[in-house]
Amino acid sequence: MSKWPSDDEALRQRLLKFLDGTLTAAERRTLERLLVDDAQARDVLRELALHAVVIADCERVTNASPPMSGSLPAVEDHRSAALAAPPASSWSVLPWTLAATAICACIVLGWYVAGFGRSGTAPGLPSREQPVRLAEVRFAQDAHLIAQQTPEHALEEGQRLPRGTYLLESGFVELDFFSGVVLAVESPATLQLISQHEARLLEGRVSVEAGDAETSFVLHTPVGEVIDIGTRYGVYVAGDGATETHVFEGLVDIHSSASRRAVKRVEAATAVRVSASGAMASVPATEKVFPQPSREIANLLLDGDFEADTELLATDAEDVGVWSGDVCRIVGPGQQVQPYSGAAMLMFQSTGKDTQQAAPTVASQLSQWIDLSPYRDAISAGRVRAVVSARFNRIAGNERTDSQFGIHLESFDVSPRQAQRRLQSQPAPPRSRVSYQLLSDDNPGSWERAEAVLTLPNDARFLQVTILAFENVSNDVGERPEFDGHFADDLRFHLDVDPAPGDKP
Amino acid sequence: MKLSEQHILRVLMRSRDRVAAAAWVVLRDSQAAEDVFQNVAIKAMTKEVCFESEGAVLSWAFITARREAVDWLRRHRREANAPSAEILDLLDAEWLAAGTREDHRATALRDCFDELPDKSRRLLRLRYFEGVACAGIADQLGAKLDAVYKRLSRLHSLLRECVEHRLDPTRTVET
């Protein structure tokens, strides 16, 4: 084999760095321009991608382990069977319906007839036998989770589960369905994974975080089905099959097996018990006794995109959901700076009086309060992190142009008004605070990203998010505006809530 | 005429590597790319989508794979570090246009990979099967990061040459 041209080699190395995420922002921009303009460069990128997936597939074949019980060819539906190409000797289909069986047989037969195996690869190799994986064990705490037919192999965090029956003998796990639904399961529990949108709880206690999955999630129970309508809920199945459904947010429909026409719509903060005989009755709703899946709670910070309709108050506001602080403006593209996203961005203009230090500051700052009270239970258990990120940019300027930006998160156990009063005292009281500062480059074409993460203290009630532009080079006292062209955009905020088992009922 | 499920599945399986590779460009994770392909295949058979031609199946598959890949990143809270939408659009069009030629390359590539020495396979395995970043590989091998990039690049070159030769044994590679 001969040596490949050196320019191609150089391009490939740059692409490898790009895919590895180790290019600088400027290198990445240059490469992306090349990829837009040059079809040959894209050919090399596509080749690398093809190599990556084929090499991984070859290794999967080499390293394939025996199928887990979860693959259960006997209960694979036709979709799974189609992708799994099970060995003919073990393949059979439960007679759900004659039609399903016919489709199944047709497809599997078609598989062999059509010769899906690549040349040199016989059908039935392990990579072809891998069943469709439906979910991943995202979190496990003191858990002993086993697939029913291979109890000798305990399943661990990170493992991907195919269809099958699973027993959680101890501890707590969180299953992340590839449809976007998350199930938190607490022991003892027996659960069948049916598809990405369907599971059956035979016994035990689970919480379902359906989120914004586009298809409803169906949880079968011994006495019926629970179908979400974009929601969070908990289900408990007792030993006799009686089922309680507690809705935390949104709505669910409960279909009783006793009467296929009986559908009970259950709203948030209410609960319904269906007895083993199918009788429905309301029961007090409670969330605490159910395991809590991890959650990402967004939409708590308003107008982080700094579009034209964003209201900015040049004062210290005490209201939640309002940007306030020093003089800033919402502007469109200008000074060779394009908004990072959307049509507008925030422009820092001047510094003000620092309420925290009671002295002129060298930073222009803008803040917003966030009310944490709806999440106090999780916060008091130390399970919540606040995550904020923003993009910053500035004009090229000269050696006297300021270059420092920052992002702060501070939590308080009192209201915004009380917090501001406290902060005006000297010395400022201790509080939980995290800040991240960066020095921006002089390229108006690039936006630098800053992120700050704060694990909320147990008593946190309110959180203040602040973005800042510093006069780190030249303090232009008395000049208006004090900043030559300093911008922020695309501010994002969310709470990460860790999973947890429920309280003992 | 509407294609049958069997026909749709056959088209998808024939282009499995291409579709997974398109997803990989977004994900940089081979396992996740495989999951995305499986989701695409399931959707093709369970959604109320009708396909009149094989081209329509593949066109839909590439669009869906990209959307699924972005969703996967969001669900797994990984930072999206994919090429720009403009580049992905161009790549999608080229994956589609590549047709069966690319599928034959993938087949040849399997044989070429099998022929590599163990040491080379180990490096590629670490990077693409185990998903270790090049900095991690450099640590494991006690090599410099740039040396890892060079070795990987060279291996990709060798694989490319080998594939070209298998597809056209009469071809000579220009040096």
Side-chain angles (χ1 to χ4, degrees):
Chain A
M1 294 181 182
S2 60
K3 194 171 170 18
W4 205 251
S6 59
D7 56 342
D8 211 32
E9 195 79 45
L11 170 62
R12 193 181 290 105
Q13 283 184 36
R14 259 190 296 162
L15 284 168
L16 287 169
K17 290 177 183 174
F18 170 66
L19 295 166
D20 209 21
T22 55
L23 285 185
T24 64
E27 288 171 333
R28 183 183 166 115
R29 271 195 308 279
T30 305
L31 183 61
E32 291 206 317
R33 269 198 301 274
L34 179 70
L35 286 169
V36 170
D37 296 338
D38 187 344
Q40 280 189 318
R42 293 195 299 276
D43 282 348
V44 179
L45 175 58
R46 288 195 299 110
E47 183 183 66
L48 290 177
L50 195 68
H51 285 191
V53 297
V54 170
I55 288 165
D57 195 38
C58 289
E59 290 292 342
R60 269 195 292 274
V61 172
T62 307
N63 293 280
S65 54
M68 292 190 305
S69 69
S71 64
L72 291 178
V75 291
E76 289 285 347
D77 62 13
H78 72 278
R79 294 163 297 178
S80 304
L83 289 165
S89 58
S90 65
W91 183 74
S92 64
V93 175
L94 275 185
W96 289 350
T97 66
L98 286 174
T101 307
I103 291 169
C104 207
C106 183
I107 290 175
V108 176
L109 182 64
W111 178 284
Y112 287 105
V113 171
F116 285 144
R118 301 174 177 97
S119 94
T121 308
L125 281 175
S127 67
R128 293 285 180 238
E129 292 176 7
Q130 284 188 351
V132 175
R133 289 155 290 182
L134 307 175
E136 179 178 312
V137 182
R138 188 158 76 181
F139 176 85
Q141 180 182 305
D142 306 324
H144 188 65
L145 175 68
I146 55 172
Q148 194 174 49
Q149 290 191 355
T150 52
E152 64 275 16
H153 299 300
L155 299 165
E156 297 170 350
E157 215 170 279
Q159 281 193 269
R160 297 170 182 195
L161 311 181
R163 184 189 171 102
T165 303
Y166 297 88
L167 314 177
L168 181 62
E169 296 183 332
S170 64
F172 162 73
V173 295
E174 183 177 79
L175 305 181
D176 185 9
F177 280 68
F178 296 133
S179 59
V181 173
V182 177
L183 253 68
V185 189
E186 195 162 358
S187 66
T190 305
L191 185 72
Q192 282 180 350
L193 305 191
I194 300 171
S195 77
Q196 295 189 42
H197 307 286
E198 227 173 333
R200 174 173 287 111
L201 180 63
L202 299 170
E203 186 173 4
R205 201 176 287 273
V206 304
S207 286
V208 180
E209 174 92 31
D212 55 0
E214 60 187 40
T215 304
S216 287
F217 186 79
V218 180
L219 185 67
H220 299 270
T221 70
V223 294
E225 296 168 354
V226 182
I227 301 175
D228 88 83
I229 308 175
T231 192
R232 293 194 308 117
Y233 62 95
V235 175
Y236 168 62
V237 174
D240 65 352
T243 301
E244 284 185 19
T245 303
H246 297 238
V247 181
F248 313 140
E249 280 178 21
L251 300 167
V252 301
D253 282 344
I254 298 178
H255 296 246
S256 167
S257 301
S259 168
R260 297 301 299 175
R261 287 183 184 173
V263 179
K264 171 82 173 171
R265 178 153 290 189
V266 188
E267 297 178 347
T270 59
V272 166
R273 182 176 191 276
V274 182
S275 71
S277 62
M280 287 192 190
S282 293
V283 293
T286 176
E287 186 171 345
K288 286 185 174 180
V289 297
F290 288 94
Q292 298 297 310
S294 60
R295 297 172 65 195
E296 183 179 305
I297 301 165
N299 303 322
L300 298 177
L301 183 134
L302 301 182
D303 295 328
D305 51 0
F306 299 117
E307 291 302 300
D309 56 352
T310 304
E311 188 181 9
L312 306 175
L313 302 180
T315 179
D316 295 324
E318 295 161 356
D319 295 330
V320 167
V322 178
W323 283 115
S324 69
D326 295 327
V327 177
C328 298
R329 284 171 57 205
I330 301 296
V331 297
Q335 296 180 274
Q336 296 184 307
V337 178
Q338 295 287 329
Y340 181 80
S341 61
M345 56 195 168
L346 179 86
M347 183 180 188
F348 294 98
Q349 294 240 279
S350 61
T351 61
K353 192 176 178 183
D354 188 340
T355 55
Q356 300 179 20
Q357 302 301 332
T361 64
V362 289
S364 175
Q365 57 190 58
L366 197 66
S367 302
Q368 187 171 138
W369 288 98
I370 292 170
D371 181 5
L372 300 172
S373 55
Y375 316 104
R376 57 180 171 271
D377 289 344
I379 291 171
S380 65
R383 294 168 44 216
V384 183
R385 283 178 307 285
V387 182
V388 66
S389 67
R391 300 273 176 173
F392 296 100
N393 199 0
R394 67 175 172 93
I395 57 167
N398 54 34
E399 69 279 359
R400 286 177 51 77
T401 302
D402 299 310
S403 59
Q404 188 176 354
F405 294 93
I407 192 163
H408 290 185
L409 281 174
E410 291 184 76
S411 79
F412 297 89
D413 60 350
V414 294
S415 69
R417 171 175 292 190
Q418 291 167 307
Q420 284 175 351
R421 213 173 290 143
R422 272 193 200 175
L423 290 169
Q424 285 165 358
S425 63
Q426 287 293 332
R431 68 266 190 206
S432 292
R433 181 182 191 196
V434 65
S435 80
Y436 182 95
Q437 290 168 16
L438 61 82
L439 292 178
S440 59
D441 63 26
D442 61 358
N443 176 7
S446 69
W447 286 82
E448 281 73 57
R449 183 175 184 273
E451 181 181 280
V453 181
L454 176 67
T455 298
L456 297 176
N458 298 5
D459 58 358
R461 283 179 54 202
F462 286 89
L463 189 72
Q464 190 178 37
V465 178
T466 305
I467 51 173
L468 310 95
F470 293 91
E471 291 195 286
N472 63 312
V473 176
S474 172
N475 188 1
D476 309 310
V477 179
E479 292 181 25
R480 290 290 182 273
E482 294 172 77
F483 289 92
D484 306 323
H486 291 66
F487 306 92
D489 202 359
D490 196 38
L491 194 144
R492 298 172 186 223
F493 174 88
H494 70 267
L495 297 178
D496 270 340
V497 184
D498 286 340
D503 293 345
K504 291 295 170 203
Chain B
M1 195 177 74
K2 186 181 158 189
L3 300 188
S4 67
E5 276 193 355
Q6 188 181 346
H7 194 155
I8 293 168
L9 186 64
R10 191 184 310 137
V11 172
L12 286 174
M13 292 308 298
R14 203 166 53 209
S15 305
R16 179 180 190 151
D17 293 323
R18 258 195 295 164
V19 175
W24 187 89
V25 172
V26 176
L27 295 162
R28 326 275 171 87
D29 177 327
S30 302
Q31 290 287 353
E34 170 67 11
D35 285 338
V36 162
F37 172 79
Q38 295 202 22
N39 286 353
V40 169
I42 288 172
K43 281 193 170 178
M45 285 179 289
T46 56
K47 293 276 175 184
E48 292 171 357
V49 187
C50 292
F51 299 108
E52 306 257 323
S53 67
E54 294 190 355
V57 175
L58 282 179
S59 178
W60 173 88
F62 283 113
I63 292 168
T64 308
R66 186 161 139 195
R67 201 169 54 224
E68 287 275 324
V70 172
D71 279 354
W72 191 97
L73 288 173
R74 181 179 54 79
R75 285 200 306 274
H76 289 77
R77 298 172 188 181
R78 297 214 189 147
E79 189 179 359
N81 205 20
S84 66
E86 187 180 10
I87 296 170
L88 291 175
D89 286 344
L90 290 165
L91 290 173
D92 280 353
E94 286 161 355
W95 287 118
L96 200 53
T100 51
R101 188 181 71 244
E102 207 84 332
D103 304 329
H104 293 147
R105 295 179 72 85
T107 302
L109 181 60
R110 284 180 159 74
D111 296 333
C112 291
F113 179 66
D114 284 343
E115 290 174 2
L116 285 176
D118 285 348
K119 196 174 165 186
S120 302
R121 283 184 60 140
R122 184 182 167 216
L123 178 59
L124 292 168
R125 174 200 160 88
L126 280 170
R127 182 68 190 94
Y128 299 117
F129 179 64
E130 297 182 14
V132 181
C134 288
I137 295 174
D139 283 348
Q140 287 191 33
L141 303 183
K144 288 187 177 170
L145 181 57
D146 266 352
V148 172
Y149 285 125
K150 279 181 188 164
R151 278 182 62 190
L152 269 179
S153 178
R154 178 67 186 149
L155 286 173
H156 283 291
S157 291
L158 291 171
L159 286 172
R160 173 196 256 192
E161 279 183 52
C162 173
V163 167
E164 298 292 347
H165 181 72
R166 278 181 180 270
L167 294 179
D168 181 6
T170 62
R171 179 181 177 277
T172 55
V173 178
E174 291 177 17
T175 56

